[in-house]
Amino acid sequence: MPVLPVHNAVAVPDSTVYFRPDYYRSMTGREPQQDAKVILVVTKEPMARAEVKPESFYPVGVSGIVRETDVQGFVLVELRSRVNIEELTIQPDKTIKVEVSRRPDIEDLDPADAQRRVTAMKEEVLAFADGKPWQAALRVFASMWTTMGDIAAGLSPWMPGKSEERYALLAEDSKARRFEMMEKMLYENLELMKVGNEVRTAQEEDHQKLYREAAIKKQLEYLQNELDEMHPENISDLQKLEQRLKDAPLNELARKECGKVLSRLKQEGKNSAEYGLLYDYLDFLASLPWQKAEAKDIDLDEAEKILDADHFGLSKVKRRIIQQIAVMNLRRLQSGSILLFVGAPGTGKTSIGQSIAKALGREYVRVSLGGVRDEADIRGHRRTYIGAMPGRILDGIQKCGVSNPVMVLDEVDKLSMSYNGDPASALLEVLDPEQNKSFTDHYLNVPFDLSDVLFICTANSLDTIPQPLLDRMEVISFQGYTPTEKQEIARLHLLPKAMEAVGIGEGELELAPETVQAIIDDYTREAGVRGLKKCMDTLCRSAAVHLVRGGEKPLRVTPGDLRELLDMRPLPHRHVKDGSKPGVVTGLAWTPVGGDVLYIETLLTRGSGKTVITGRLGDVMKESAQIAVSLVKHLFPEHADLFEHNDLHIHVPDGATPKDGPSAGVTLTSSLASLVTGVPVPPTIAMTGEVSLQGEVKPIGGLPEKLMAAQRAGVTKVFIPEENLDDLREVASEVKEALEIVPVTDVEELLACLGIHPKEPTRIAV
Ligand code: ADP
């Protein structure tokens, strides 16, 4: 009797199984013969006939009869009854010999119920097959199914599951149990296949979408290429950009970000809204100077020459810059201390920054911070914002195209805070050598090294600069120019430049020194030379018209011609008033636009002891007024009751420029003392100094600017705090010569000098 080993198959009584003839032959070692009896034995592992051993088999098998040997290329075996394998031997030719005994079933299956359930199962299977390509084949197959065993055996090759489970069906004695087990297995597997099917369909749909998308993109690309070929001028900007990015020496993080954005850009396609944004970003990234520039050796003499050639005077500033260059040379650094140039407009702060760049042989870039209220102005907007832009710092870097420019941060005193963060703290990060190595602009989103940038800041006043920022910088003040210096600047720099700008050659325009002086005195009133420059420009334009009309050469401009050529009226003379009146005293003030003279007027009116203060005064000045009142009451007790029966009015005219600071203390006190004593103070006498309640005269700031203003206004004598004597070194000698400067230490002494107080005057002018 042939013995046929099977594995992982459902082989149960009352079912029909199919084998390929060569399988039958190779496993049994015999030709399949019609009506031959065979015994099916089940192997625990899949194996070839040559490998089988007696232990390879389960103890229960099943007997069957070969019904047909070649039905559609299969050997068809009808399984009959289960057998216990009593003994199994492997013959030398590797065929198997068994001794079996019949293993009876427990007959507990209701045939009618079983028939119903088999029909139901068949329907279920056919329903599942509905619409599948193999539906017809399955129908043929299913028409031959009469038992649950048939169905299970028929579907077995398509059902996952372990071989033990299948063997368990055979080992089950109860027919009803066996039926149930097969039924359950079939239903479960059908469910599984259904779910699998659904998942597969969903996946297929997804895949299809992807394929479709890819196909459309390919097509688009193809069309785009075609278009590009028609218009070679715009041959893929993207390709050019990609090449630029590849060539740019980006740092690691930037390279990564670049890769990310580039692949998103490609995904987006040219017509998407985001394409432009991503493109702009990459363009910005590619155009930043990632390459570090080498530090150069600077010839100090050469640098000095360049500085001198561009700017007249400013020797202190130039000296400091030369020092900085020397240090940078020695330490082979590209940057050094951060200089803060403070002074009135037009004193050359910004333009000397440009000369420094020239002297260092480096690029120059100016970043204006005036009116910056938003942190994003410094640090950029995140790219997720519509209209996102890099901050002004990186924008400047990109514009100049090198990693080591001289960057002038203009008007740091005009930064202001708003709800959108504190720009000053962002600026702090820019200027901090510890942090600016990896400055991260929100737009760029990767760190950029700013450590080679030489920063220079400019400001009109120190008052509004946040202290932490101020701590980082070294303050260098620009005090404004004297009339003589202005003359020189006009002659050597402003006029030649203005002439060149409009194309007037040498010898075609002549300005006598007194003409320049007239411009300085009558048409400008400033500490710097901005107005003077404007006048020179206007003059040259007017001269150009004259020359083009064929007027005589050279055109000689006299002071009398200025009115017409400049097309403006001379400014009202800022000369101290004539005549003197008790209660009016000349003071000196410092303002962000340079020094200025001011008059403090006081008046007593009948009243009840109130004090009224008018004019644009700051809080500090109002306090000074209180101190002055108390001091005068103390110094002149005989007049003290004047204040009780009268109202006191203090006024500081010319309210256009805000004045603050305590330096009007002496002027206020003198004015009040003059008022109560009736002793007038000549307007040509000016003074500046803070006053304590003890009557001490305390030092003040901005002395050079104030003295210059005094000289401009025609003051002849100035009282200054003795502690400020040292500052006179900074004052141009021309100014010192024109003024009688008297240092004082306390108010009584000052009042004595003015002839108001009986104390003997002991001071003499320096
Ligand atoms: P600031 O920045 O202090 O407001 P700028 O640097 O803009 O002043 O200077 C205004 C103009 O005056 C510029 O054209 C500059 O060249 C000129 N200028 C200022 N100071 C000098 C100087 N010392 N020598 C020559 N030109 C000067």
Side-chain angles (χ1 to χ4, degrees):
M1 211 172 17
V3 175
L4 179 60
V6 297
H7 176 73
N8 200 23
V10 173
V12 291
D14 304 323
S15 67
T16 310
V17 289
Y18 300 77
F19 297 98
R20 270 180 285 112
D22 47 345
Y23 178 82
Y24 185 96
R25 254 178 242 124
S26 81
M27 292 313 267
T28 57
R30 315 254 184 106
E31 271 304 309
Q33 266 176 0
Q34 188 88 18
D35 297 328
K37 210 174 171 214
V38 290
I39 301 288
L40 263 59
V41 288
V42 185
T43 61
K44 295 173 185 168
E45 310 283 328
M47 52 184 60
R49 181 162 69 109
E51 301 165 345
V52 295
K53 291 186 281 293
E55 328 64 87
S56 310
F57 298 92
Y58 284 116
V60 179
V62 57
S63 69
I65 294 178
V66 177
R67 269 300 161 224
E68 279 181 56
T69 53
D70 200 16
V71 47
Q72 293 174 355
F74 284 100
V75 177
L76 189 153
V77 180
E78 244 178 54
L79 299 180
R80 287 287 169 80
S81 46
R82 300 181 308 144
V83 292
N84 287 323
I85 295 166
E86 304 292 345
E87 208 184 315
L88 185 145
T89 44
I90 314 278
Q91 304 294 73
D93 67 350
K94 294 288 176 190
T95 54
I96 301 166
K97 208 170 160 192
V98 287
E99 294 233 339
V100 296
S101 63
R102 206 178 144 154
R103 186 177 171 111
D105 291 326
I106 301 168
E107 293 290 344
D108 51 2
L109 188 68
D110 172 1
D113 179 48
Q115 197 49 54
R116 203 178 36 77
R117 281 155 72 182
V118 167
T119 314
M121 178 61 73
K122 259 166 90 169
E123 274 168 15
E124 188 77 20
V125 173
L126 288 173
F128 170 69
D130 208 22
K132 304 275 183 317
W134 33 265
Q135 185 186 13
L138 187 80
R139 268 185 196 286
V140 175
F141 205 30
S143 63
M144 294 185 287
W145 290 342
T146 54
T147 64
M148 196 58 87
D150 282 338
I151 305 178
L155 294 186
S156 158
W158 292 279
M159 295 191 297
K162 293 192 196 112
S163 64
E164 297 97 83
E165 266 174 47
R166 295 176 189 198
Y167 169 72
L169 298 173
L170 181 61
E172 177 57 58
D173 293 337
S174 155
K175 271 190 165 178
R177 273 283 308 129
R178 195 187 306 151
F179 188 92
E180 255 168 43
M181 281 159 78
M182 284 191 287
E183 195 179 37
K184 182 165 168 266
M185 184 165 118
L186 280 167
Y187 275 123
E188 272 177 8
N189 273 298
L190 274 177
E191 269 324 296
L192 254 178
M193 284 192 271
K194 267 192 222 160
V195 173
N197 234 35
E198 277 162 20
V199 171
R200 216 170 306 131
T201 336
Q203 273 176 353
E204 264 162 27
E205 270 171 20
D206 279 354
H207 279 144
Q208 234 160 13
K209 235 193 238 163
L210 283 181
Y211 292 145
R212 204 176 144 69
E213 203 176 307
I216 293 176
K217 274 194 183 148
K218 264 241 159 71
Q219 213 143 10
L220 265 179
E221 208 171 286
Y222 173 77
L223 292 175
Q224 186 65 50
N225 282 345
E226 199 131 296
L227 268 179
D228 287 347
E229 271 164 33
M230 285 179 204
H231 300 278
E233 69 278 8
N234 53 15
I235 262 193
S236 178
D237 288 342
L238 184 58
Q239 273 170 7
K240 277 188 224 154
L241 179 60
E242 258 188 281
Q243 192 56 46
R244 273 172 61 211
L245 285 165
K246 213 185 277 167
D247 297 343
L250 306 183
N251 63 30
E252 200 183 325
L253 286 169
R255 179 72 60 203
K256 239 192 206 156
E257 181 83 1
C258 158
K260 251 181 9 201
V261 177
L262 199 58
S263 66
R264 247 188 70 207
L265 179 77
K266 286 181 178 165
Q267 261 171 26
E268 287 292 335
K270 248 188 174 155
N271 301 319
S272 93
E274 232 173 312
Y275 184 92
L277 299 180
L278 297 171
Y279 185 93
D280 287 349
Y281 170 73
L282 288 176
D283 187 42
F284 180 71
L285 193 76
S287 58
L288 277 176
W290 295 94
Q291 184 81 51
K292 294 221 127 215
E294 288 280 313
K296 280 189 232 159
D297 250 339
I298 311 295
D299 182 345
L300 285 190
D301 293 337
E302 201 54 43
E304 204 163 5
K305 252 188 231 158
I306 294 174
L307 292 176
D308 282 337
D310 285 350
H311 286 82
F312 176 85
L314 298 177
S315 53
K316 198 173 129 197
V317 178
K318 289 177 185 164
R319 206 177 325 129
R320 179 63 190 85
I321 291 163
I322 291 295
Q323 285 168 4
Q324 173 110 337
I325 296 176
V327 172
M328 278 159 58
N329 259 2
L330 279 182
R331 298 193 52 201
R332 303 212 61 76
L333 286 177
Q334 305 243 29
S335 60
S337 1
I338 296 154
L339 304 179
L340 170 61
F341 296 163
V342 189
T347 44
K349 301 181 299 293
T350 316
S351 53
I352 203 155
Q354 201 163 4
S355 301
I356 294 171
K358 218 191 312 170
L360 290 171
R362 281 161 60 171
E363 289 296 324
Y364 164 82
V365 55
R366 175 171 170 266
V367 172
S368 172
L369 299 179
V372 163
R373 319 171 53 223
D374 208 327
E375 191 190 350
D377 279 325
I378 305 282
R379 216 200 283 271
H381 295 276
R382 287 189 196 287
R383 282 207 311 275
T384 42
Y385 281 96
I386 296 199
M389 282 189 303
R392 296 193 188 189
I393 305 291
L394 272 198
D395 188 54
I397 293 278
Q398 187 237 355
K399 286 214 178 91
C400 72
V402 291
S403 67
N404 67 342
V406 172
M407 184 178 279
V408 172
L409 302 174
D410 232 349
E411 308 197 297
V412 282
D413 53 337
K414 306 283 188 325
L415 281 179
S416 56
M417 250 224 285
S418 77
Y419 58 92
N420 272 335
D422 178 5
S425 71
L427 195 59
L428 212 57
E429 205 183 307
V430 171
L431 298 179
D432 184 352
E434 300 286 317
Q435 294 183 58
N436 69 11
K437 266 194 180 55
S438 55
F439 172 71
T440 303
D441 181 279
H442 289 327
Y443 179 78
L444 185 64
N445 203 25
V446 287
F448 189 86
D449 187 353
L450 293 178
S451 60
D452 283 350
V453 179
L454 178 62
F455 289 106
I456 292 174
C457 304
T458 81
N460 289 145
S461 136
L462 294 180
D463 300 344
T464 51
I465 302 179
Q467 194 58 40
L469 205 53
L470 207 50
D471 290 345
R472 287 272 141 71
M473 310 193 260
E474 184 184 330
V475 177
I476 297 180
S477 41
F478 284 54
Q479 277 139 2
Y481 302 110
T482 60
T484 320
E485 282 172 323
K486 286 183 185 175
Q487 271 268 5
E488 289 302 298
I489 293 172
R491 187 174 64 85
L492 295 171
H493 298 276
L494 302 181
L495 185 60
K497 265 190 225 159
M499 283 168 62
E500 196 189 328
V502 298
I504 298 179
E506 222 172 300
E508 292 184 317
L509 173 66
E510 268 180 22
L511 289 192
E514 58 274 16
T515 311
V516 177
Q517 195 58 49
I519 298 175
I520 294 169
D521 289 344
D522 302 338
Y523 291 87
T524 66
R525 190 192 297 149
E526 57 180 354
V529 292
R530 209 169 264 181
L532 184 58
K533 178 175 184 299
K534 251 188 233 156
C535 288
M536 292 294 162
D537 292 343
T538 317
L539 205 60
C540 284
R541 278 195 304 272
S542 302
V545 175
H546 167 88
L547 292 169
V548 171
R549 288 227 167 105
E552 63 170 298
K553 283 185 204 173
L555 171 64
R556 291 200 174 83
V557 183
T558 63
D561 304 330
L562 288 175
R563 172 77 181 83
E564 195 184 327
L565 290 177
L566 290 177
D567 195 19
M568 67 185 271
R569 237 184 305 176
L571 296 172
H573 254 290
R574 196 36 181 275
H575 245 56
V576 284
K577 298 173 178 167
D578 295 332
S580 48
K581 230 172 144 186
V584 181
V585 174
T586 312
L588 296 172
W590 180 91
T591 70
V593 294
D596 207 352
V597 293
L598 54 83
Y599 302 99
I600 293 188
E601 304 173 348
T602 49
L603 192 66
L604 284 169
T605 55
R606 189 166 296 174
S608 56
K610 280 194 299 234
T611 305
V612 183
I613 302 176
T614 54
R616 263 181 75 186
L617 306 182
D619 287 341
V620 180
M621 201 131 144
K622 284 181 185 155
E623 272 174 24
S624 298
Q626 307 286 351
I627 292 177
V629 171
S630 302
L631 257 177
V632 170
K633 281 189 196 166
H634 168 74
L635 290 175
F636 303 94
E638 67 277 20
H639 300 302
D641 53 347
L642 270 178
F643 292 99
E644 265 158 49
H645 309 300
N646 293 288
D647 283 347
L648 171 66
H649 192 154
I650 301 175
H651 182 58
V652 184
D654 195 7
T657 41
K659 302 159 210 79
D660 209 338
S663 70
V666 287
T667 324
L668 278 159
T669 315
S670 306
S671 163
L672 273 176
S674 152
L675 178 72
V676 297
T677 56
V679 181
V681 178
T684 48
I685 295 181
M687 58 195 70
T688 177
E690 185 182 346
V691 173
S692 77
L693 208 46
Q694 307 294 323
E696 298 156 322
V697 176
K698 300 277 191 191
I700 44 83
L703 187 70
E705 288 91 342
K706 287 177 178 173
L707 293 184
M708 241 180 258
Q711 185 216 4
R712 268 204 304 272
V715 168
T716 52
K717 185 173 188 175
V718 183
F719 290 94
I720 64 167
E722 190 175 63
E723 286 180 51
N724 276 110
L725 267 180
D726 206 33
D727 294 348
L728 287 177
R729 284 194 308 176
E730 314 246 320
V731 178
S733 46
E734 172 195 349
V735 175
K736 286 189 278 196
E737 278 158 23
L739 293 171
E740 185 187 347
I741 299 169
V742 185
V744 286
T745 48
D746 78 77
V747 175
E748 274 182 85
E749 190 185 351
L750 166 67
L751 294 179
C753 291
L754 295 173
I756 300 176
H757 195 266
K759 186 177 169 180
E760 269 309 297
T762 51
R763 288 283 164 174
I764 44 158
V766 290

